[in-house]
Each structure stands twice: as structure tokens, then as C-alpha cells.
Amino acid sequence: MTTPLPDFADLLAAAARIAPYAHVTPVLRSRGLDELAGCELHFKAEHLQRAGAFKFRGACNAVFALDEAQAAAGVVTHSSGNHGAALALAARLRGIPCHVVVPAGAVRSKLAAIQAYGATLHECAPTIAAREAECARVQRETGATLVHPYTDPRVIAGQGTAAMELLNAVPDLDLLVAPVGGGGLSSGTALATAGSAPNCRVIGAEPSGAAETFASLQRGERVTEFTPDTVCDGLRGTLGEINFELLRRLRVDVLTVDDAATLAALRLFWQRCKQTIEPSSAIALAAVLAHPEVFAGRRVGIVLSGGNVDLDNLSALLSK
Amino acid sequence: MTTPLPDFADLLAAAARIAPYAHVTPVLRSRGLDELAGCELHFKAEHLQRAGAFKFRGACNAVFALDEAQAAAGVVTHSSGNHGAALALAARLRGIPCHVVVPAGAVRSKLAAIQAYGATLHECAPTIAAREAECARVQRETGATLVHPYTDPRVIAGQGTAAMELLNAVPDLDLLVAPVGGGGLSSGTALATAGSAPNCRVIGAEPSGAAETFASLQRGERVTEFTPDTVCDGLRGTLGEINFELLRRLRVDVLTVDDAATLAALRLFWQRCKQTIEPSSAIALAAVLAHPEVFAGRRVGIVLSGGNVDLDNLSALLSK
């Protein structure tokens, strides 16, 4: 493996680096949801993070870790949404160019957010090969640094700061649940927990229609061949190599959740807590509600990863 | 007039009475919305109040103001939604019966909330005559005290505590905007402002499809004949007599807002602030965005009245 794994020191450095820019998001509670779930829930509200998702943490850490010469040439990434917006905002805050390669058919409201932060959009076919080729072209022509949405040690370290804040705010968590897509948030969360609260168990919540992380950890080798089929548009990425390695070493368990359960949890959270979270966030609550045998009576942290919902698409979603 | 007008002392008494039960809701800010609106916005987050709306304040004040004998016989009201749920919760907290008369066709999620708090539902035809008759029948048969959704001095005093908290938290507001339906919130807000911040101007935001308060204040007499036509299901009530009197005496101005502007503001607030507010709340932000000549450069308070959205109905709403 050529990419080094980030460690807890990288996470502490990330926390210091992003402190001037990122919000320390609140931890939310709900009596009603505690009763329903039969456990004590502490929600880390990353939907209230800048650019509407935890992704700003990793992007911000990556952008502000660049030296002056690297920074001057800007950054580039491929992202169907939240990471693109997050990188665009981080680049704007540092005053450097940002290029975002987006697949055709990406969520409209997320593309609008990326453009609103001043990044240049490059549309490509919705395949991994096409987006990597387009990224490579932009890198070649501009000298921009690639900031991958999740297979990047600086990004992973940044994402881990959300869990670190939660563990500092609520020191006695028994379990901490984070959504799993490409593995940026979940591996960062595992790193934070290993460093801050080693007795707390980290559980990933993954869509059953894109459960390659679950399969990878079961088999002991990374599964990359799969076709995602899930409403969780933030969790369709393929588990990264260093992400897999971290999840494996740090013994993260994954629970799979079907879309119906995720959408039911989304409705429930909207109704009870009046917070607009996206399906990729609601999956973590859905995992808790579906597995009382794991969570009953425990003190549970949940990372609400983001709140960037496409309201036009939501109608179709909720009628599913 | 037989019903006495509440005064600022009643409001102070209400604040003390409900303090053990009601949340002191947060005041929310948004850089992005401030830029868009061209003014400084301070949102009083009553969608995070218990039972999901400011209505809990008035209901709680009315319920806990009853003497023991009155309380034992319970309370009754007619309400298409938020007040019913609020009264049901307040009655449960005092341990007394609650009867709620609801019109056929009321918002489903709101009825479910009322029942979840343990109240007895009585369905009637969706006319004022039918609900008053049904309320009278329940009063006769049970001895329950009527707690009207807005034409009740205890209710008005309770609703005013939201504005009082906001004015205490942000002392230098130039303007304070509240939605106008039957006039409970708006007259309570005017009372709080007259007592706490007499230099702050109170503005009501009323749906143009149910603008009888605007018409009443223009004519100098209460207009009661109208057929509401608006998506703001919390603002369809007829301006009450004591509410009219308070709004008139305290010189509240009303801006009318059409549903398209309200729904645009709803979308904007959901997207920017990730808070699930209902159309009847979004109307106040819509009024600010539509009238830069009134609000530009000023420090503006907005009462976000509630967040009880029917998600099934929302799809139809947003596609309007």
C-alpha cells in the first residue's frame, strides 16, 4: 500500500487546523426518540456543519494542509455532491481555485451549492473510469491537487473530528454509529474513538443495496465490484483501500439497512426533531431502531452526517 | 366586550407558570440568509418547542391556571392541529382529561400527535357552527373548561412568552415579525414587545388567501366573513375579538404574503438552515424577503411558529 494510514496524531492536527473555519456542531437529544429506541441517543448534528455536511471537515483539513505552492494551483475532486460543495467552500476560504468533476444525473441542489461556492464544474459520464479520466485531465492541465472524497489520509483525519467532538461532549458512550459509504467518515470515526474512547464500539450503518463494506469485512478482502442501488445518494461510493484497512484493524462492525427502514427513520427524525437530514444520515438511526438487541439500554452516539436534501426529489422518495 | 384583555403582568405570570414545562427555545442565525435578506435575522425556534409549536405555551398557561376543581373536569378545545396537540400535552402533564374537537379533513400527522398525547378526539363537520356545537356538547356532558385556540386571555399571554424570550435574548431588535392567523401569537407578541421593547415594531405576516386581519385593521372593524384559501393550515382561523382589539391598540401592521412566496421561503429555510418548519412559519421569512424597503439594514426578529409538517402532503405542496 502506498498511501500511509492516518493516525490519532493526524486527527488532533486536523482538529487544530480546521478550528478557525468549521463549526463545533451541537449534540441533539430527543426524549421521544430515546423512548422509541429504548436507549439514550446523542445526535452529532453535522447537518448543521458548514456546507451542510461533515464533509467540510475533511475538505477543509486537506485544503489548509497544502503548502503555498500546491495551494496556488488549486484543488480538484470528483463528487456527486457534499464533498464537492465542501471542497469548494474550503477552497474559497483559502482563496484558491477549485475544480469539481460531477457525474451526469447528480442531485441538482447539490450541484447548485457547489457552483454557489465558486467552484468550476466539469460534467462527465456516471462511471468511475470517466470521472477518474476527467480528474486526471484537470490535474494535468491546471496542476491542481486531487482531494479524493474519502481515500485520502487528510480527509479521513478531518472527518474523524466530528466523532472526537461528540466523544468529548458525551464521554461515556457505549456505541457510536456512523453511516458507511466510501469509508471516510466511518474510518475517521473509528480512529477518533480508538484514540479518545477505546471502550466505545464503532458501528457502521450501510445501505443493503450498496453493502460492499459489509461484504469486504466479512471476506477479509476489499470488494469493489458492485452496482449500488439505494436512496442514500451519499453512500454509493466504493470502499477505499486505506478506509478498508482502518475499518478492519479497528474492528468496526457494519449493520446493513434497507431503504424502507432508512426512509421511515428519516420521517421519524423530521417529525420529532424538526431537523432536515438526508437519507444518508437517517440510515444510522434506522440501524439503531432495527437492532434493539445491540443498542437497548446503552448510551449511543449517532453521527448525523448531512442535511442536503433535494426537495424536488424528496416527494418521489417519500412516496416509495 | 365581556372577555378582559390580557396585559403585560399576565404575560409575566404566564412566563413563570409555564417555566417548569416549556422549553426556552434557541435563537437561530444564518449568515447566508442575512446576506440574502439584507438584514440581520434572529429566528426564535418555536418549531423546537414541545409538541412542535409555540401553541404549547398558551395551552400550558391555560391548563395550569385552572383551579383544582376546574382542572379535575378537564379541558376541551377545537383545533385543526397544533393547539389540539399542545392542549393534549399540557393536560397530560397536569394529569387531567382533554377533549379535542377536530374538523373532518384535518392534517393527519397533527391528529396522530393529539392522540399520542392521550386526548380524546371528537370529529365534526368542517364548519365553525359544527365545531362550536360539538364543543358545547362536550362541555355540557363533562364539565370541561373550554380553552379556545386564540381568543382566550390566558392563551394570548402564554403565546407572548416566545417573543419575550427573544427580546430578552436579542435586546436591540428593530422589528419583530410573527405569523397571523386567529391572532393569538401576534397579539401576544405585540403585548410582549410593548412591555419589553417598546421601540421595536411588530409586524404580522398573513396569507393573502386569508387576510381578514389585514382587512380588519384597514377598516377599523373586525371582518369575519371570508373563506380561507392558503397552504398555511395554521393560519386559517378567524381573527378573534380580543385579538383584534390588542392588535389595533398596539398598532401592529400586517403584511400579506401569497402562498408561492411562502413556499419559496420554506424551501430556502429548509435548505439553508436544515430546520423543518411548516408553511405557517415560513410566511414570516417570506414577508421579510418580499419587503426590503421595510427590513433592509435592520435587526429583525422572526417567530418560527412551528414545524408540524405533514410529509405526505408536503410533496403535493412543493410541486405547486
Side-chain angles (χ1 to χ4, degrees):
Chain A
M1 190 179 306
T2 53
T3 313
L5 296 182
D7 61 19
F8 192 63
D10 295 319
L11 204 147
L12 293 170
R17 193 176 284 124
I18 71 175
Y21 312 104
H23 293 324
V24 174
T25 53
V27 178
L28 307 179
R29 304 290 318 273
S30 163
R31 252 182 286 219
L33 291 183
D34 282 2
E35 274 170 38
L36 261 174
C39 59
E40 197 183 296
L41 299 170
H42 299 261
F43 296 96
K44 180 66 173 166
E46 286 297 297
H47 63 300
L48 305 179
Q49 187 51 266
R50 294 185 78 174
F54 74 94
K55 294 276 187 179
F56 178 69
R57 296 174 180 270
C60 186
N61 188 45
V63 162
F64 283 89
L66 298 175
D67 66 30
E68 289 300 324
Q70 290 172 316
V75 286
V76 58
T77 195
H78 50 80
S79 164
S80 60
N82 284 335
H83 174 67
L87 192 67
L89 174 57
R92 194 182 69 175
L93 290 169
R94 189 155 180 190
I96 63 175
C98 179
H99 303 270
V100 182
V101 175
V102 294
V107 176
R108 205 170 58 168
S109 60
K110 295 189 175 179
L111 299 189
I114 297 172
Q115 284 182 301
Y117 290 127
T120 306
L121 288 186
H122 304 266
E123 197 167 293
C124 70
T127 67
I128 294 173
R131 72 187 187 193
E132 288 181 350
E134 181 65 7
C135 255
R137 189 190 63 74
V138 174
Q139 281 184 268
R140 219 166 37 236
E141 291 180 9
T142 64
T145 300
L146 175 68
V147 180
H148 189 279
Y150 48 86
T151 305
D152 182 312
R154 300 160 302 186
V155 169
I156 294 170
Q159 317 304 32
T161 60
M164 198 168 66
E165 286 174 12
L166 175 57
L167 292 163
N168 288 341
V170 190
D172 304 323
L173 289 180
D174 299 308
L175 296 136
L176 178 46
V177 189
V180 178
L185 179 64
S186 53
S187 62
T189 298
L191 210 52
T193 307
S196 298
N199 293 324
C200 176
R201 183 176 156 208
V202 175
I203 293 186
E206 189 173 40
S208 48
E212 92 289 3
T213 301
F214 179 80
S216 299
L217 292 171
Q218 289 283 311
R219 287 198 209 168
E221 63 177 354
R222 194 165 68 107
V223 175
T224 57
E225 290 296 312
F226 74 107
T227 307
D229 176 17
T230 173
V231 298
C232 300
D233 58 282
L235 306 179
R236 293 178 188 144
T238 306
L239 178 63
E241 208 170 323
I242 57 174
N243 309 82
F244 171 61
E245 196 52 32
L246 283 167
L247 294 179
R248 199 179 59 76
R249 289 194 193 181
L250 298 169
R251 302 178 182 279
V252 170
D253 289 314
V254 172
L255 296 171
T256 60
V257 180
D258 65 33
D259 282 354
T262 294
L263 291 173
L266 178 99
R267 273 175 180 272
L268 187 68
F269 198 78
W270 282 35
Q271 283 166 348
R272 294 300 181 93
C273 299
K274 316 301 180 196
Q275 302 296 298
T276 310
I277 59 170
E278 55 184 276
S280 304
S281 295
I283 192 172
L285 173 60
V288 172
L289 295 173
H291 293 278
E293 77 284 4
V294 177
F295 298 98
R298 317 301 294 276
R299 182 168 291 183
V300 181
I302 286 183
V303 184
L304 292 177
S305 47
N308 293 324
V309 173
D310 186 348
L311 291 179
D312 293 314
N313 191 34
L314 182 74
S315 311
L317 262 188
L318 289 177
S319 59
K320 272 188 185 178
Chain B
M1 193 179 306
T2 54
T3 314
L5 294 182
D7 60 21
F8 191 63
D10 295 318
L11 203 148
L12 293 171
R17 193 176 285 125
I18 72 175
Y21 311 104
H23 292 325
V24 174
T25 53
V27 178
L28 307 179
R29 304 290 318 272
S30 162
R31 254 181 285 220
L33 291 183
D34 281 2
E35 274 170 38
L36 261 174
C39 59
E40 196 184 295
L41 298 171
H42 299 261
F43 295 96
K44 179 65 172 166
E46 286 296 298
H47 63 300
L48 305 178
Q49 186 51 265
R50 294 185 77 174
F54 73 94
K55 293 276 186 179
F56 179 68
R57 296 174 180 272
C60 187
N61 188 45
V63 163
F64 283 89
L66 297 176
D67 65 33
E68 288 300 322
Q70 289 172 316
V75 287
V76 57
T77 195
H78 49 82
S79 163
S80 60
N82 284 334
H83 174 68
L87 191 67
L89 173 57
R92 194 182 70 174
L93 290 170
R94 188 155 180 190
I96 64 175
C98 178
H99 303 272
V100 181
V101 175
V102 295
V107 176
R108 208 171 53 167
S109 61
K110 295 189 175 180
L111 297 190
I114 295 172
Q115 284 183 302
Y117 290 126
T120 306
L121 288 185
H122 304 266
E123 197 167 290
C124 70
T127 67
I128 294 173
R131 71 188 190 195
E132 287 182 350
E134 181 64 7
C135 255
R137 190 191 61 76
V138 175
Q139 281 184 270
R140 218 164 38 233
E141 291 179 11
T142 64
T145 300
L146 175 68
V147 181
H148 188 280
Y150 49 85
T151 305
D152 181 313
R154 299 159 304 183
V155 170
I156 294 171
Q159 318 303 33
T161 60
M164 197 168 65
E165 286 174 13
L166 174 57
L167 292 164
N168 287 341
V170 189
D172 305 322
L173 289 179
D174 298 309
L175 296 138
L176 179 46
V177 189
V180 177
L185 179 64
S186 54
S187 62
T189 298
L191 209 52
T193 306
S196 299
N199 292 326
C200 175
R201 181 176 158 208
V202 176
I203 294 187
E206 189 174 41
S208 48
E212 92 287 5
T213 301
F214 179 80
S216 299
L217 292 171
Q218 289 283 313
R219 286 197 212 168
E221 63 178 350
R222 192 164 70 104
V223 174
T224 56
E225 291 296 310
F226 75 106
T227 307
D229 175 18
T230 173
V231 297
C232 301
D233 58 282
L235 306 180
R236 292 176 189 147
T238 306
L239 178 64
E241 207 170 321
I242 57 175
N243 310 82
F244 170 62
E245 197 52 33
L246 282 166
L247 295 178
R248 199 180 60 74
R249 290 194 192 179
L250 297 168
R251 300 179 184 279
V252 169
D253 288 314
V254 172
L255 296 171
T256 61
V257 179
D258 64 35
D259 282 354
T262 293
L263 291 173
L266 178 100
R267 273 176 180 270
L268 186 69
F269 198 78
W270 282 35
Q271 284 166 348
R272 295 299 180 93
C273 299
K274 315 301 180 196
Q275 302 297 299
T276 310
I277 58 171
E278 53 185 277
S280 305
S281 295
I283 192 172
L285 173 59
V288 172
L289 294 173
H291 293 279
E293 78 284 4
V294 176
F295 299 97
R298 317 300 295 277
R299 181 168 291 183
V300 180
I302 287 184
V303 184
L304 293 177
S305 48
N308 293 324
V309 174
D310 186 349
L311 291 178
D312 293 313
N313 192 33
L314 182 72
S315 312
L317 263 187
L318 289 177
S319 59
K320 272 189 186 179

